């Protein structure tokens, strides 16, 4: 890494030998800043003996004289002196309290002297001066570690300390664990993927949205921090498919990185200087927003082929079923609304709303995108902002009481415009039927003979129940008719005979 005019060549007759010691922190930061690591930088950043320079230079000269037919001249100059090591106050019994083993004071002193330390005794502590070749010995904990290491780790008992009293997990921590447990119980397998992505991977679901680019990435082809967990899940699915695992149900919980408004800071203090409060504030402002998300991917057979039944291929309904498991875990009920998102199948995509706020998306991958990623044409995925879900979830979940009254069930078939989402119709029927309606579920979507073009027939299975009495057929029918009337008023729905 020197200059061509100063390097040794076949015509070199005079050589200046220099041996020096450099500041470890400055060397480490400079090597990384200029991206010029070397053998010397690796040694210096870990610390070397500051008193060895003169002996090392003399050794080089001796070897040149012995093997290179050189003629040595007098020593040129010695610049500076290494600062003496300061003594470390090592309290009596410090190692005993830290390690949990009682060491005799004479044994502790013998071990420290064995590794080259100068030891003086006082009433309360040992004054230990480490040798110059041990720059790693700086505080009492370092000395205690040496005592435990040399005396033998086998003497340390394998006893867990008594856990201190605490408040347990926070609400956010508890709900995150419940979310992961719920998906695992539903048959999904948790995976972890790298947060680094290529520009093409980011563009799959976020287009040309701004991203965070690393100045010194591990992989030059993937210098961007992810905005979505889905590309990582697609990569994990591809690797599993390549190894013969065709039926997959994966999920991941991790952070994504969204650029903030700040520009960050480039100029940092040189050496071991501590950044100022203003620099810390600029660094904090430049950090990207890092929300925690949950994503899942399903492909292949959700139910394997067996006698009398063909295999059931995973689809949008299975992704929504996994989201239902998540909603139970956090005590929240998602509203599902048809949507279109980049990278998703235009007719099989739904937004997930909580408290009127969009917190995620579920659907099937665009077949062309799945094929380009070497995945099956039908891949169901979902991604939710887990931090937002936990924030919007109710703090207290009130469990519904179990009624002993008999339920009344009826079906309701309504003809509506084909563009009307089923979820919107169900919400209207629930509102119109009132508190007697316990459950409304879509069971059929018919389009064909007997239904005009541009319309569809949606059949809802309704369940009615009263808390204090057995409902009559007239009461159930009245509630059903009220729901149908509100649907007719708002959406022009008509009952199908």
């Amino acid at each position: 890494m020197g200059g061509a005019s100063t390097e040794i060549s076949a015509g070199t007759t005079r050589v200046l030998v220099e041996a020096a010691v450099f500041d470890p922190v400055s060397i480490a930061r400079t090597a990384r800043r200029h991206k010029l690591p070397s053998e010397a930088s690796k040694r210096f950043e870990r610390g070397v003996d500051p008193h060895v320079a003169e002996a090392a230079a003399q050794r080089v000269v001796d070897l040149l004289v012995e093997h290179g037919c050189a003629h040595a001249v007098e020593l040129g100059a010695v610049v500076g002196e290494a600062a003496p090591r300061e003594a470390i106050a090592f309290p009596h019994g410090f190692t005993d309290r830290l390690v949990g083993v009682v060491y005799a004071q004479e044994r502790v002193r013998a071990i420290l002297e064995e590794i080259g330390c100068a030891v003086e005794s006082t009433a309360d502590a040992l004054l230990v001066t480490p040798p110059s070749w041990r720059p790693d010995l700086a505080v009492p904990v370092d000395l205690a570690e040496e005592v435990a290491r040399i005396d033998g780790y086998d003497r340390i008992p394998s006893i867990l300390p008594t856990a201190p009293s605490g408040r347990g997990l926070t609400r956010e921590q508890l709900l995150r664990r419940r979310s992961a447990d719920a998906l695992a119980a539903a048959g999904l397998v948790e995976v972890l993927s790298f947060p680094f992505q290529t520009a093409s991977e980011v563009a799959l679901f976020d287009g040309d949205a701004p991203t965070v680019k690393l100045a010194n990435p591990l992989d030059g082809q993937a210098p961007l921090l992810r905005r979505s967990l889905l590309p990582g899940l697609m990569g994990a699915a591809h690797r599993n498919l390549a190894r013969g695992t065709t039926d997959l149900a994966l999920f991941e919980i991790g952070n994504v990185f969204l650029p903030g408004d700040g520009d960050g800071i480039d100029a940092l203090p040189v050496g071991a200087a501590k950044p100022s409060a203003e620099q810390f504030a600029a660094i904090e402002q430049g950090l990207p927003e890092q929300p925690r998300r949950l994503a899942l991917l399903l492909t292949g057979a959700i139910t394997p082929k067996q006698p009398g039944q063909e295999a059931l291929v995973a689809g949008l309904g299975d992704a929504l079923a996994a989201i239902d498991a998540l909603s139970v875990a956090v005590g929240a009920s998602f509203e599902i609304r048809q949507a279109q998102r980049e990278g998703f199948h235009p007719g099989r995509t739904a937004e997930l709303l909580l408290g009127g706020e969009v917190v995620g998306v579920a659907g099937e991958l665009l077949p062309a995108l799945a094929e380009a990623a070497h995945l099956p044409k039908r891949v169901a995925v979902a991604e939710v902002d887990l931090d937002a879900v936990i924030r919007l979830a109710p703090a207290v979940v009130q469990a519904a009481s179990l009624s002993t009254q008999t339920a009344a069930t009826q079906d309701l078939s309504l003809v509506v415009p084909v563009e009307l989402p089923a979820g919107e119709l169900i919400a209207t029927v629930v509102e119109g039927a009132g508190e007697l309606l316990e459950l409304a579920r879509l069971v059929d979507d018919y389009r064909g003979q007997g239904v005009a073009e541009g319309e569809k027939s949606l059949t809802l299975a309704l369940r009615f129940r009263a808390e204090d009495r057995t409902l009559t057929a007239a009461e159930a029918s009245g509630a059903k008719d009220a729901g149908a009337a509100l649907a007719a008023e708002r959406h022009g729905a008509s009952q199908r005979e």
Side-chain angles (χ1 to χ4, degrees), residues 296-388:
L296 56 93
L297 181 148
L298 306 167
T299 187
I302 197 71
T303 301
K305 181 179 180 180
Q306 50 192 305
Q309 178 179 322
E310 294 295 327
L312 299 179
V313 180
L316 172 60
D318 301 292
L320 293 177
I323 294 298
D324 285 340
L326 171 65
S327 68
V328 173
V330 299
S333 180
F334 292 100
E335 179 186 349
I336 300 173
R337 183 175 67 190
Q338 188 174 7
Q340 291 190 1
R341 291 289 186 92
E342 190 167 2
F344 284 78
H345 193 296
R348 300 176 183 174
T349 304
E351 287 180 337
L352 306 175
L353 296 89
L354 194 58
E357 180 179 334
V358 177
V359 296
V361 60
E364 296 182 12
L365 291 183
L366 202 63
L369 187 153
E371 185 177 1
H374 306 288
L375 297 175
K377 289 187 177 181
R378 193 169 187 184
V379 180
V381 295
E383 184 172 21
V384 297
D385 187 338
L386 191 56
D387 287 343

Side-chain angles (χ1 to χ4, degrees), residues 186-267:
L188 283 78
V189 177
E190 185 173 10
V191 299
L192 295 175
S193 60
F194 284 112
F196 314 114
Q197 295 180 355
T198 64
S200 59
E201 288 176 331
V202 173
L204 292 177
F205 302 100
D206 292 282
D208 57 354
T211 56
V212 179
K213 185 176 182 180
L214 298 175
N216 187 22
L218 294 177
D219 183 356
Q221 295 180 346
L224 305 179
L225 290 178
R226 63 189 178 190
R227 291 182 59 95
S228 170
L229 302 180
L230 294 179
L233 284 180
M234 292 168 61
H238 171 64
R239 287 188 294 273
N240 280 273
L241 289 168
R243 288 159 176 78
T245 305
T246 57
D247 302 330
L248 297 171
L250 310 176
F251 80 95
E252 179 177 6
I253 297 177
N255 296 91
V256 297
F257 305 86
L258 309 178
D261 298 331
D263 297 329
I265 184 171
D266 295 327

Side-chain angles (χ1 to χ4, degrees), residues 88-97 105 108-109 119-128 140:
I88 303 172
F90 192 43
H92 297 315
F94 181 86
T95 308
D96 304 355
R97 295 190 296 272
Q105 197 62 35
V108 172
R109 179 168 187 150
V119 183
E120 296 182 10
S121 295
T122 65
D124 301 325
L126 296 177
L127 296 181
V128 182

Side-chain angles (χ1 to χ4, degrees), residues 38 41 43 73 166 216 335 353 402 410 450:
S38 65
S41 70
R43 293 175 184 272
V73 299
N216 187 22
E335 179 186 349
L353 296 89
L402 297 178
Q410 294 191 21

Side-chain angles (χ1 to χ4, degrees), residues 11-29:
T12 299
T13 59
R14 302 179 66 186
V15 177
L16 174 65
V17 178
E18 177 193 24
V21 177
F22 301 95
D23 177 62
V25 176
S26 178
I27 289 294
R29 294 189 63 173

